[in-house]
Amino acid sequence: MPTSPTTVLIVGSGPTGLTLAIDLARRAVDVTIIDKAPQFPRSSRAKGPNARSLEVLEDLGVVEEVLAAGSAPLPMRKYRGGVAIADAAPFADVHPTPDSPYARPRTVAQWRLEEILRDRLATYGVRIGLGRELVGLAQDDTSVTAALADGGEIGARYVVGCDGGHSAVRKLLGIPFEGKTDETQMMVCGDVEAEGPDRGFWHQWFDEDGAVMLCPIPGTRSGWWFQAGPETDGSGAPVPPSLESFQRLFAKHTGLPGTLLSQAEPLSTYRVNERMADRYRVGRVFLAGDAAHVHSIAGGLGMNTGIQDAYNLGWKLARVASGQADPALLDTYEEERLPVAAGVLDLSAERLRATMEAIKKPGGGLDTAVTPQTRNPGDGYPWSSLARLGATALLRAGDRAPDAPCRDLAGGAPRRLFETFTGPHFTLLGFGAGTAPALREASAVYAGELRAYGVDVDDAHGLADDGGHARSAYGIAPDEDLLVLVRPDNHVGLIAPPGELRAIGEYLSAAALERA
């Protein structure tokens, strides 16, 4: 059955697809999202959003629900021969700062995160089409036609494949997925009910002949995420995951009764895949998330990289679709995100190697995978053609725009910089009284494009930087006047002196967003 044409068709309703759908819907872009699954998954899978993804979720209006649904990262209790020998808390020394309010990741079941995102998407009147499998794509200069397994078709101006490592979109485009799959590094996984272990820890039993890991699922009374090296049969082949196999593995490595585990589902087998697409776009069709790149689970970077792909693509796709920007803007999606994915692949592979070495010795565990780089990777695009102009002592164009606590001059209420960024607009920050004329002119000329705020500028939209946190985070001296244009995805577009207002207009214009 044909479906009404849409502006953007998203294939895949995991965290990447949902993030993109929300970002487009809040910009009044007509979006359709489909998934071949007949029902929404209930697997815990990914451990949760990292610091940067939490910033994205704040902008999308769901961070408070995510924080409430999850928990802080748990300390890890490590065992050898069934005996607890070491505890580790890799995030214990990580705390929020004025410029980074979400210093630690949040542990939350992936199914619960997806529920929260679906509820947010529904507020825009968008529902997910389940049981709709993509089997064909045809495109011309103006549109894409997606053929479905049920015989239906969906016409769209653009299509985005957020449909995972086995992406139908990527395969239909003929994009290679280069890399490797290590069949020797395998785990069986599943959500289980368990009684006995202390829910205040992520338990990790590592022995010379295998391992079992058990992490409590926030928001459940007795739910746990189970991971283990698989059993093997008489021929050495891995035994498929099952409750009975989980119970045997649990009893073997923990010394506890296997009957403490029950109700194991859904079940899956995980193999270490390290692969990446060599391009993210063919005409009017794009890839995002696992459809474009898959990494080892070391460091918990996979889902987070996908969320941040979607956040980068959303504002660009919306601006082009609405006629606000030249279509060449869409080229910057691959330009910015493909190098990030390559870096994440290398980082996660290196952390996996380090972790595999660490667990050979008593006391080694998954805390080896956590480093400052895995906590907040890929926080800027200084190489981008959208990083047009300027730098301060700390920031370059293309860098992530920091947060800072300020105060509204008009009413005196506290107001963070992230609050001024929230929404689909550009934000122009003016540091110092000398930027007041430029801020007033920008507000008048570009009212539909940006919101302007003066930092220590006495006007209706002025912000007082009482603690000096804003200037400190942006590397701007107390007596220095500068304009900072922040992109809709909260990265710095340009930094310019107050007399360079023309540069702001050029950046916002479609012509300026063409490749140089």
Side-chain angles (χ1 to χ4, degrees), residues 255-514:
L256 299 171
T259 52
L260 290 176
L261 300 189
S262 61
Q263 300 182 31
E265 61 178 355
L267 306 176
S268 62
T269 299
Y270 169 80
R271 293 171 176 83
V272 173
N273 281 292
E274 297 173 350
R275 297 181 180 275
M276 193 172 79
D278 63 359
R279 57 193 183 277
Y280 283 14
R281 178 186 184 186
V282 175
R284 291 178 167 268
V285 185
F286 300 81
L287 300 176
D290 286 357
H293 45 75
V294 292
H295 326 97
S296 90
I297 58 174
L301 304 175
M303 180 189 72
N304 289 290
T305 307
I307 287 173
Q308 292 157 39
D309 283 348
Y311 195 51
N312 182 285
L313 179 59
W315 71 275
K316 298 172 181 179
L317 201 51
R319 283 180 66 81
V320 172
S322 64
Q324 294 176 288
D326 189 278
L329 175 61
L330 295 174
D331 293 336
T332 67
Y333 167 60
E334 177 182 302
E335 177 191 8
E336 293 184 341
R337 293 303 299 173
L338 192 149
V340 169
V344 168
L345 194 150
D346 289 344
L347 175 60
S348 62
E350 187 275 328
R351 286 294 87 202
L352 177 64
R353 288 191 293 271
T355 301
M356 296 304 292
E357 282 298 313
I359 64 176
K360 292 177 181 178
K361 301 176 182 178
L366 301 187
D367 51 304
T368 305
V370 180
T371 68
Q373 291 74 32
T374 63
R375 290 171 187 162
N376 193 23
D379 56 0
Y381 313 115
W383 61 84
S384 171
S385 59
L386 292 182
R388 308 284 294 190
L389 178 71
T392 71
L394 292 179
L395 287 183
R396 302 161 296 178
D399 286 347
R400 164 192 168 274
D403 194 13
C406 295
R407 175 175 54 84
D408 272 325
L409 284 175
R415 188 169 176 83
R416 294 163 50 221
L417 289 186
F418 274 6
E419 294 178 77
T420 70
F421 300 163
T422 297
H425 55 272
F426 285 82
T427 304
L428 182 61
L429 299 176
F431 287 85
T435 65
L439 292 172
R440 287 193 294 269
E441 184 175 347
S443 295
V445 176
Y446 307 112
E449 298 277 343
L450 61 75
R451 296 178 185 174
Y453 298 88
V455 181
D456 293 332
V457 177
D458 190 9
D459 64 16
H461 299 291
L463 300 171
D465 186 19
D466 293 332
H469 295 297
R471 282 186 177 271
S472 176
Y474 283 73
I476 300 174
D479 59 349
E480 190 175 12
D481 292 346
L482 277 180
L483 296 172
V484 179
L485 182 67
V486 179
R487 299 172 5 173
D489 61 349
N490 299 358
H491 283 263
V492 175
L494 63 80
I495 300 167
E500 293 291 331
L501 184 60
R502 180 179 177 181
I504 306 294
E506 290 175 349
Y507 193 95
L508 294 172
S509 71
L513 293 174
E514 294 176 355

Side-chain angles (χ1 to χ4, degrees), residues 32-347:
T32 297
I33 180 168
I34 62 172
D35 199 297
K36 71 177 182 180
Q39 58 189 17
F40 297 122
R42 290 286 295 182
S43 173
S44 297
R45 291 184 289 177
K47 292 295 188 298
N50 65 12
R52 180 56 179 160
S53 292
L54 288 169
E55 294 177 1
V56 174
L57 296 172
E58 177 181 352
D59 189 26
L60 299 183
V62 297
V63 73
E64 293 302 326
E65 292 173 84
V66 172
L67 293 175
S71 68
L74 291 173
M76 302 176 183
R77 176 153 290 174
K78 296 171 285 186
Y79 302 77
R80 201 73 163 190
V83 177
I85 59 173
D87 290 347
F91 293 96
D93 61 344
V94 180
H95 303 285
T97 59
D99 66 313
S100 183
Y102 307 107
R104 302 179 184 182
R106 196 70 174 172
T107 302
V108 59
Q110 184 167 325
W111 61 262
R112 181 67 185 110
L113 175 62
E114 290 175 359
E115 278 187 343
I116 292 169
L117 292 171
R118 286 196 300 269
D119 289 345
R120 181 62 171 170
L121 183 60
T123 66
Y124 297 102
V126 180
R127 302 286 178 179
I128 297 165
L130 290 174
R132 311 206 73 189
E133 181 179 1
L134 179 76
V135 296
L137 285 172
Q139 61 175 309
D140 55 29
D141 291 341
T142 61
S143 64
V144 187
T145 300
L148 306 181
D150 62 7
E153 291 184 342
I154 301 175
R157 289 175 61 190
Y158 299 96
V159 171
V160 185
C162 304
D163 49 343
H166 298 288
S167 171
V169 174
R170 186 188 65 245
K171 293 174 182 176
L172 289 168
L173 293 175
I175 295 178
F177 206 39
E178 300 294 344
K180 63 181 181 179
T181 299
D182 190 339
E183 296 289 349
T184 67
Q185 294 185 345
M186 182 186 303
M187 287 193 303
V188 288
C189 313
D191 285 6
V192 302
E193 294 293 316
E195 299 289 347
D198 186 339
R199 290 182 66 82
F201 292 90
W202 182 357
H203 300 274
Q204 301 168 14
W205 292 269
F206 289 108
D207 295 314
E208 292 182 5
D209 60 346
V212 164
M213 291 158 280
L214 206 57
C215 183
I217 301 170
T220 65
R221 185 190 65 80
S222 56
W224 298 76
W225 176 237
F226 178 97
Q227 299 166 281
E231 291 184 300
T232 55
D233 61 19
S235 67
V239 173
S242 67
L243 172 59
E244 293 74 21
S245 178
F246 285 5
Q247 288 174 331
R248 290 191 296 269
L249 287 164
F250 183 77
K252 174 184 176 181
H253 292 288
T254 69
L256 299 171
T259 52
L260 290 176
L261 300 189
S262 61
Q263 300 182 31
E265 61 178 355
L267 306 176
S268 62
T269 299
Y270 169 80
R271 293 171 176 83
V272 173
N273 281 292
E274 297 173 350
R275 297 181 180 275
M276 193 172 79
D278 63 359
R279 57 193 183 277
Y280 283 14
R281 178 186 184 186
V282 175
R284 291 178 167 268
V285 185
F286 300 81
L287 300 176
D290 286 357
H293 45 75
V294 292
H295 326 97
S296 90
I297 58 174
L301 304 175
M303 180 189 72
N304 289 290
T305 307
I307 287 173
Q308 292 157 39
D309 283 348
Y311 195 51
N312 182 285
L313 179 59
W315 71 275
K316 298 172 181 179
L317 201 51
R319 283 180 66 81
V320 172
S322 64
Q324 294 176 288
D326 189 278
L329 175 61
L330 295 174
D331 293 336
T332 67
Y333 167 60
E334 177 182 302
E335 177 191 8
E336 293 184 341
R337 293 303 299 173
L338 192 149
V340 169
V344 168
L345 194 150
D346 289 344
L347 175 60

